[in-house]
């Protein structure tokens, strides 16, 4: 008896919702767009975080050494190279690769219109496998030629032609592009350039009073030897080295940068508010759909109550309707959002990534949204008296 | 004639009217908020130049934004001064430096503006008096509106900017928007001491103030003919337009907010369409009847359009009130400058009415196609 009731509850919910096709399409469309709003706002929020940590995610490192006071990817805040040398001597460290960075002094003058524009420049030893970008590994060795560079093909158009063979000026030195790689701009810089360490220091000699080449490493990439646990090596390195540097796992540094952006800029507030409004719109529309459905079938519901079905059963029907609505609007919302993400990434250059866990998060929001509206809608059912209808 | 019918249609079912109106209201709030953030973005991009008193600016041919200004040779200022109609010319130096938090010693980026302390460079008059104190070397006037922890910015604080010892002699509150997280003003001589690498014979921008009553276009032409081509002569509005262009079109944040507004409008239109379409479906028999007894399509469209506009107006009023509150909340919780103006209210009202009208026109197709014979046949 109980099992039979459950089955017909589900079927009843489905039938209720799909009874009038045109009405269903109109209803689902409304909720779908509420889902799209939430997806886009979440996409922006994650886009800020993802873009600012993009280059970290392609660094070939188990641990990363940074200046203790460095908070985010930029501004430049290097540490003394000898710290890396000291780290190399520690147990568990298989290799260290220094990565140099320049921001403000790095003005790229492109050969197309002769305009200068700031670019983010990274310098490294060409034989060091510093980046995990597949395009970089085979061509990095070409950087051994003096005054050569690799340019980010996804940089903004301001940097001129981004193809091998073109030339440009960096800090009044002419450089030749010998390869391209895809990385993408972030909120601060609109392009990236890779140089060999030799070329890097030729372009950016130390300013008076700022120490010699040794005090210039921005990121110390550390590879942990097999058999050693990464966290343990991090701790032992931190202990062994003076406290003017910090050693973190790659994920820890990513989290630190995300936190910095969360607090330094009101992105959470701005996009969170957008998501909340989208959520509210969804609740209201879903509520209206469910409520109209209940009112339309008022006599039928009253009859069911009169012949002995409990309030619980009727509530279950409405909540199941809400669940179906959630699923039916989530799927087209997801597809729509995938398209929008691609479009927005193309226009803005910001990474808009829809990962399974983010989709799952949005799905739970959608279910919550519809369930909430369902719970509000059923209050009417619970208060009803069958006799009133007849 | 159509209003009573439209009104009755909406209010016939109080519950449904309430929820539909709430949906329209929240959608309008979304539009208010997205427009607010978008405008705040624009406003933020000109916050630094807003502080400066100038009519024309001499900028380098590489000029992209205040932080990426390039430099012009200092003699250009004197050359511009000699042109007729020019009251005075002042130098502006701009660079990002490192401010050491006096409390925690953590270095943070700060925008440094270098000015001649003898000139009235700023629009905010009390600020010019404060800036006069910068005649003493190695002093700074701080802007206390900052994003993030910069430590004590009060007069009397001493700290380092790019390893140069600096003493804060005064402060003011303004904010620098998107250009930076914080800013300080120093004298031109102090600026040269802080940024030793800055080319000595150059300035970032030349600020030109004209005599009252001058024809700006004439002076621009006169200056352009007088000065070599390594300098551009821009009006104030041209400089602001460039800042706005840079933030809104090049920088991703501007693009995100613009698409946010577009999204809000599209979604709003779809939701209102869905509401109106459902409304019409409910009254399909009545519309069919009206057509049967001789009312033409034009009348039906007018009714639906009136409904749509009533939706817009009735949803707008609570939305405007709530958004006013949300703007105030945003201002206090974050440093985002969001202000409700009559212009904004008018703008959103028009948008809401247009959005609802378009949705209404589209939805009315259903009512126009309602065939009386069909409907009564399926009864």
């Amino acid at each position: 008896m109980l099992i039979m009731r459950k089955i017909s509850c589900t079927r009843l919910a489905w039938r209720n919702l799909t009874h009038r096709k045109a009405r269903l399409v109109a209803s689902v469309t409304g909720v779908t767009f509420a889902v799209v709003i939430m997806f886009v706002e979440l996409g922006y929020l994650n886009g800020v975080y993802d873009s600012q940590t993009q280059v970290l995610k392609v660094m070939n490192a188990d641990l990363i050494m940074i200046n203790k006071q460095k908070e985010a990817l930029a501004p430049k805040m290097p540490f003394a190279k000898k710290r890396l040398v000291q780290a190399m001597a520690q147990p568990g460290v298989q290799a260290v690769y220094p990565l140099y960075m320049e921001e403000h002094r790095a003005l790229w003058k492109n050969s197309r219109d002769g305009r200068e524009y700031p670019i983010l420049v990274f310098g490294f030893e060409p034989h060091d496998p510093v980046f995990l970008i597949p395009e970089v590994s085979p061509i990095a060795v070409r950087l051994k030629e003096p005054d050569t560079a690799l340019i980010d093909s996804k940089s903004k158009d301001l940097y001129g032609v981004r193809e091998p063979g073109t030339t440009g000026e960096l800090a009044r030195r002419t450089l030749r592009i010998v390869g391209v790689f895809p990385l993408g701009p972030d909120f601060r810089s609109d392009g990236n350039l890779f140089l060999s360490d030799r070329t890097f220091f030729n372009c950016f000699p130390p300013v008076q009073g700022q120490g010699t080449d040794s005090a210039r490493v921005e990121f110390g990439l550390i590879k942990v030897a097999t058999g050693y646990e990464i966290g343990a090596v991090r701790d032992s390195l931190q202990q062994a080295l003076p406290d003017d540097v910090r050693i973190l796992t790659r994920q820890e540094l990513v989290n630190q940068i995300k936190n910095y952006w969360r607090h330094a800029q009101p992105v959470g507030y701005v996009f969170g508010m957008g998501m909340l409004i989208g959520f509210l719109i969804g609740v209201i529309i879903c509520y209206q759909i469910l409520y109209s459905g209940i009112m339309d079938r008022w006599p039928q519901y009253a009859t069911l109550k009169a012949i002995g079905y409990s309030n619980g059963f009727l509530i279950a029907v409405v909540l199941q309707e809400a669940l179906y609505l959630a699923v039916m609007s989530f799927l087209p919302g997801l597809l729509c959002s995938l398209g929008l993400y691609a479009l927005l990434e193309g226009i803005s250059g910001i990474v808009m990534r829809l990962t399974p866990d983010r989709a799952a998060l949005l799905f739970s929001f959608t279910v919550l949204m519809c369930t909430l509206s369902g719970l509000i809608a059923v209050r009417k059912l619970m208060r009803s008296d069958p006799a009133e209808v007849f | 004639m159509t209003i009573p019918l439209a009104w009755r249609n909406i209010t016939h079912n109080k519950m449904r009217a309430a929820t539909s109106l709430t949906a329209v209201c929240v959608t309008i709030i979304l539009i208010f908020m997205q427009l607010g953030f978008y405008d705040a973005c624009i406003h933020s991009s000109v916050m630094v130049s807003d502080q400066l008193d100038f009519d024309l600016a001499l900028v380098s041919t590489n000029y992209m934004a205040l932080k990426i200004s390039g430099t012009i040779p200092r003699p250009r200022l004197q050359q511009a001064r000699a042109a007729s109609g020019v009251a005075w010319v002042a130098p502006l130096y701009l660079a990002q430096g490192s401010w050491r938090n006096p409390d925690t010693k953590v270095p943070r980026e700060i925008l440094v503006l270098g000015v001649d302390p003898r000139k009235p460079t700023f629009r905010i008059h009390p600020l010019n008096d404060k800036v006069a104190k910068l005649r003493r070397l190695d002093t700074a006037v701080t802007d206390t509106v900052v994003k993030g922890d910069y430590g004590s910015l009060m007069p009397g604080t001493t700290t380092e900017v790019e390893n140069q010892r600096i003493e804060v002699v005064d402060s003011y509150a303004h904010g620098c928007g998107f250009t930076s997280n914080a800013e300080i003003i120093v004298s031109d001589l102090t600026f040269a001491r802080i940024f030793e690498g800055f080319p000595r014979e150059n300035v970032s921008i030349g600020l030109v103030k004209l005599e009252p009553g001058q024809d700006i276009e004439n002076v621009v032409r006169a200056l352009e003919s007088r000065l070599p081509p390594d300098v551009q002569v821009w009006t104030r509005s041209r400089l602001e337009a460039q800042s706005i262009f840079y933030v809104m079109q090049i920088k991703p944040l501007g693009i995100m907010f613009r698409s946010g507004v577009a999204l809000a409008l599209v979604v709003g239109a779809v939701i209102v369409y869905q509401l109106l379409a459902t409304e019409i479906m409910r009254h399909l028999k009545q519309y069919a009847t009206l057509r049967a007894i001789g009312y033409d399509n034009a009348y039906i469209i007018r009714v639906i359009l009136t409904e749509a506009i009533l939706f817009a107006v009735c949803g707008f009023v609570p939305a405007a009130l709530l958004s006013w509150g949300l703007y105030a909340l945003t201002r206090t919780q974050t440093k985002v400058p969001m202000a409700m103006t009559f212009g904004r209210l008018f703008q959103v009202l028009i948008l809401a009415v247009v959005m609802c009208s378009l949705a209404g026109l589209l939805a009315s197709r259903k009512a126009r196609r309602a065939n009386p014979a069909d409907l009564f046949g399926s009864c």
Side-chain angles (χ1 to χ4, degrees), chain A residues 23 26 41 44 69 71 75 104 115-118 156 187-188 190 269 273 281 287-288 291-292 350, chain B residues 15 19-20 26 33-34 62-63 68 105 107-109 246 250-252 256 259 271 274-275 282 330:
Chain A
R23 185 105 74 92
E41 299 288 331
Y44 286 152
Q69 291 167 334
E71 289 174 306
H104 284 131
R115 296 197 58 154
E116 273 188 333
Y117 197 73
K156 297 240 157 117
F187 272 72
R188 278 181 70 111
D190 299 307
Y269 182 94
M273 175 174 286
I281 293 177
Y287 168 80
Q288 203 186 35
Y291 186 79
S292 319
I350 289 303
Chain B
M15 256 323 256
T19 50
S20 299
V26 179
M33 294 314 288
Q34 296 295 337
N62 273 322
Y63 185 90
I68 318 166
K105 305 286 180 258
R108 277 264 168 102
E109 268 194 317
Y246 180 68
I250 309 256
K251 282 304 187 182
M256 283 157 84
S259 47
I271 286 172
Q274 183 245 315
L275 284 169
R282 288 197 176 280
T330 308

Side-chain angles (χ1 to χ4, degrees), chain B residues 86-164:
Chain B
V86 172
W88 50 257
V89 184
L92 181 68
Y93 300 84
L94 291 157
Q96 288 269 94
S98 162
W99 162 277
R100 192 174 289 279
N101 185 324
D103 309 325
T104 65
K105 305 286 180 258
V106 173
R108 277 264 168 102
E109 268 194 317
I110 199 162
L111 180 69
V112 183
L113 285 87
V115 299
D116 183 339
R118 299 164 299 176
K119 299 247 166 84
T121 317
F122 293 92
R123 270 171 149 176
I124 318 161
H125 287 298
L127 186 51
N128 284 323
D129 297 332
K130 298 181 187 186
V131 164
K133 296 185 196 171
L134 294 176
R135 282 179 224 228
R136 185 151 62 91
L137 267 185
D138 301 341
T139 53
V141 172
T142 54
D143 181 342
T144 53
V145 178
V146 300
K147 289 192 280 280
D149 186 15
Y150 280 77
S152 165
L153 295 157
M154 289 293 111
T157 309
T158 53
T159 185
E160 282 157 35
V161 178
E162 292 288 309
N163 298 319
Q164 171 64 46

Side-chain angles (χ1 to χ4, degrees), chain A residues 66-340:
Chain A
I66 53 170
N67 184 316
K68 182 178 77 154
Q69 291 167 334
K70 193 169 172 67
E71 289 174 306
L73 190 69
K76 184 177 95 171
M77 205 175 295
F79 61 88
K81 187 168 176 186
K82 65 179 178 206
R83 296 278 172 261
L84 261 190
V85 177
Q86 288 170 308
M88 186 66 194
Q90 295 294 319
V93 174
Q94 183 182 335
V96 299
Y97 312 128
L99 187 62
Y100 310 95
M101 193 178 86
E102 183 60 60
E103 197 196 13
H104 284 131
R105 282 198 284 166
L107 293 171
W108 178 256
K109 187 180 206 164
N110 73 75
S111 49
R112 187 180 61 195
D113 53 26
R115 296 197 58 154
E116 273 188 333
Y117 197 73
I119 197 168
L120 192 60
V121 179
F122 289 102
F124 55 93
E125 218 288 302
H127 282 305
D128 284 348
V130 165
F131 286 111
L132 296 167
I133 310 170
E135 287 82 351
V136 171
S137 327
I139 52 177
V141 70
R142 290 190 215 153
L143 289 174
K144 285 200 88 76
E145 284 172 63
D147 292 343
T148 52
L150 304 178
I151 196 164
D152 179 354
S153 55
K154 287 167 88 172
S155 306
K156 297 240 157 117
D157 211 42
L158 305 150
Y159 297 111
V161 179
R162 299 173 304 282
E163 275 167 33
T166 51
T167 57
E169 254 180 65
L170 189 69
R172 276 181 257 119
R173 261 184 112 82
T174 306
L175 301 182
R176 191 166 44 93
I177 310 269
V178 292
V180 294
F181 59 94
L183 183 62
D186 64 26
F187 272 72
R188 278 181 70 111
S189 46
D190 299 307
N192 300 290
L193 206 65
F194 289 170
L195 308 177
S196 73
D197 47 355
R198 257 305 255 322
T199 312
F200 185 91
F201 289 120
N202 283 341
C203 290
F204 309 115
V207 175
Q208 300 108 303
Q210 271 197 12
T212 60
D213 286 3
S214 48
R216 298 289 302 283
V217 180
E218 196 70 26
F219 299 99
L221 279 64
I222 299 170
K223 291 293 278 180
V224 169
T226 46
Y228 285 85
E229 203 256 303
I230 293 179
V233 176
R234 174 201 57 201
D235 296 337
S236 69
L237 276 175
Q238 193 71 72
Q239 274 195 326
L241 295 170
D243 69 349
D244 56 0
V245 289
R246 253 184 326 135
I247 291 112
L248 308 103
T249 65
R250 195 146 56 113
Q251 189 57 48
E252 282 171 352
L253 185 54
V254 166
N255 293 341
Q256 175 184 309
I257 295 178
K258 281 187 179 176
N259 264 326
Y260 169 78
W261 276 85
R262 193 169 291 141
H263 292 122
Q265 310 292 337
V267 281
Y269 182 94
V270 170
F271 300 122
M273 175 174 286
M275 272 185 81
L276 183 64
I277 297 181
F279 185 86
L280 283 174
I281 293 177
V283 169
I284 296 167
I285 294 181
C286 193
Y287 168 80
Q288 203 186 35
I289 296 166
L290 295 172
Y291 186 79
S292 319
I294 292 172
M295 291 315 286
D296 283 348
R297 297 178 201 101
W298 199 233
Q300 290 89 321
Y301 278 122
T303 310
L304 284 175
K305 279 184 91 164
I307 64 177
Y309 279 92
S310 68
N311 268 342
F313 175 80
L314 299 179
I315 291 171
V317 171
V318 174
L319 286 180
Q320 293 231 20
E321 270 187 63
L323 209 64
Y324 283 131
L325 207 56
V327 174
M328 279 195 282
S329 38
F330 179 77
L331 290 170
L334 177 68
L335 288 170
C336 209
S337 302
L338 278 171
L340 274 174

Side-chain angles (χ1 to χ4, degrees), chain B residues 248-263:
Chain B
M248 298 314 280
Q249 307 272 8
I250 309 256
K251 282 304 187 182
L253 203 65
I255 298 172
M256 283 157 84
F257 286 140
R258 279 168 62 215
S259 47
V261 174
L263 183 72

